[in-house]
Amino acid sequence: LPHPYEAELNALAYPDSYFEAVQAERFLRMEDTPLVFVSTADELREMIAEIKATCAGGEIAVDVEHHDARTYRGFVCLVQISSRRKDWVIDPFDIFEEMHLLNEVLSDPGIVKVLHGADRDVIWLQRDFSAYLVNMFDTGIAARVLRLQGGFSLANLVSHFCGVKLDKAYQTAE
């Protein structure tokens, strides 16, 4: 079967600005960044509309949490999306049937999706939600290409570039 976004992927052209050095743009402080919990179809549609209106030509960060304890296949249990102005945490359980709507953002070639170690995230999004990524940047692969000292983990990248030590104590907590 052909990829459902084969045409978009084949037509994807990167503007010259992607390859030019730019001044780093600071994000808002965590205290100044709104955090929105999304658990209904209406909230999901609101989030998608806001991202489409404010992030065209820009980027969003995406992270997927997957639960596979005591289950063979596992399932996506949380999706996190961040823009430069807002963070969203999506609880998919009550809206599994609507999560395919994420394609409006995730398959938009005009928005760069930034992930870290995205290989599994891509599979999980496709399998559970029929959601596909077009125009993605994987910071884990970038760290490997750059041969960053200290390893290729997200914690090392955040420490190296942001001077912040991530607390992973609750990463696998229920």
Side-chain angles (χ1 to χ4, degrees):
L1 293 173
H3 191 287
Y5 290 93
E6 183 176 2
E8 288 85 348
L9 292 168
N10 288 336
L12 188 59
Y14 298 103
D16 290 339
S17 62
Y18 279 22
F19 305 100
E20 297 171 358
V22 296
Q23 186 69 24
E25 184 180 336
R26 285 215 173 273
F27 286 86
L28 296 173
R29 295 178 325 143
M30 284 180 55
E31 300 81 20
D32 299 330
T33 305
L35 174 62
V36 178
F37 291 96
V38 176
S39 60
T40 69
D42 287 340
E43 292 168 341
L44 182 66
R45 286 185 190 92
E46 269 183 47
M47 179 199 75
I48 290 166
E50 183 171 345
I51 291 171
K52 288 169 62 174
T54 61
C55 297
E59 68 283 322
I60 58 172
V62 179
D63 188 31
V64 177
E65 301 301 331
H66 183 264
H67 176 78
D68 61 4
R70 295 180 291 280
T71 174
Y72 175 73
R73 180 175 175 243
F75 50 88
V76 172
C77 58
L78 192 75
V79 178
Q80 302 163 88
I81 298 179
S82 293
S83 71
R84 289 192 176 269
R85 295 182 185 91
K86 191 178 278 189
D87 299 316
W88 293 271
V89 175
I90 307 167
D91 177 352
F93 291 114
D94 290 337
I95 55 174
F96 250 74
E97 297 299 318
E98 289 85 13
M99 289 293 287
H100 67 90
L101 296 173
L102 287 174
N103 275 317
E104 292 184 41
V105 171
L106 298 181
S107 66
D108 183 342
I111 302 172
V112 178
K113 278 61 72 178
V114 180
L115 294 92
H116 184 84
D119 51 339
R120 297 283 188 200
D121 292 0
V122 169
I123 292 168
W124 298 331
L125 287 166
Q126 290 177 4
R127 182 198 66 201
D128 288 357
F129 308 133
S130 296
Y132 293 82
L133 293 163
V134 175
N135 197 5
M136 179 192 84
F137 183 84
D138 188 325
T139 57
I141 293 173
R144 284 171 176 77
V145 169
L146 295 173
R147 296 187 178 114
L148 190 65
Q149 291 292 330
F152 312 125
S153 69
L154 181 60
N156 185 54
L157 286 174
V158 171
S159 174
H160 180 83
F161 289 107
C162 304
V164 174
K165 182 167 173 41
L166 294 180
D167 181 3
K168 296 288 191 169
Y170 301 104
Q171 184 172 8
T172 58
E174 293 186 23

